[in-house]
Amino acid sequence: MRISRHEFKDLNCPTEVTATLIGGKWKTLILTFLIDHPQRFGELSRLIPNVSKRILTLQLRELEEDGIIHREVYKQVPPRVEYSLTSLGSTLIPIIKLMGEWGEKYMGSQSDV
């Protein structure tokens, strides 16, 4: 669930702020696919096939509003839009990579059960 900027003052823990900003089913995947290079909407949609176009659009807007990603519109026909990490968003790269590493370890530990 997304909270407005003025509600951040009510959060007591910096970890909660981070989880609120990048939490949810799709945001971490979006950020993962933006680590190496900018992506167009259609590319993100293909990379994350289980997300609806509406939800992908909403998640991208929220990340943009929070200053984590940048939306670049190229004036051409047809219009081209690319999404990339901002400098603030780039500071999340180590966190996203650690989450991936932890997920791999967890998945490996579950195969032993």
Side-chain angles (χ1 to χ4, degrees), residues 20-113:
T20 300
L21 286 169
I22 66 169
K25 192 169 182 177
W26 308 112
K27 286 183 181 179
T28 51
L29 277 174
I30 292 166
L31 295 172
T32 298
F33 291 123
L34 293 178
I35 287 175
D36 293 327
H37 56 83
Q39 300 279 359
R40 294 174 70 178
F41 182 88
E43 293 168 328
L44 287 169
S45 187
R46 280 189 294 281
L47 290 166
I48 313 169
N50 295 331
V51 66
S52 71
K53 291 185 184 341
R54 179 183 171 276
I55 296 298
L56 180 57
T57 299
L58 289 172
Q59 299 282 273
L60 288 166
R61 281 186 191 153
E62 288 178 7
L63 288 166
E64 183 182 10
E65 288 171 11
D66 292 330
I68 296 170
I69 66 170
H70 172 72
R71 181 177 183 265
E72 182 75 31
V73 180
Y74 295 91
K75 300 198 184 319
Q76 62 185 54
V77 178
R80 187 177 96 195
V81 178
E82 282 186 346
Y83 296 92
S84 60
L85 294 175
T86 61
S87 56
L88 175 64
S90 293
T91 64
L92 290 167
I93 292 173
I95 295 167
I96 300 296
K97 287 186 175 185
L98 283 171
M99 289 173 65
E101 291 171 16
W102 187 90
E104 284 179 8
K105 288 178 187 173
Y106 179 81
M107 289 167 50
S109 73
Q110 295 304 302
S111 65
D112 298 337
V113 175

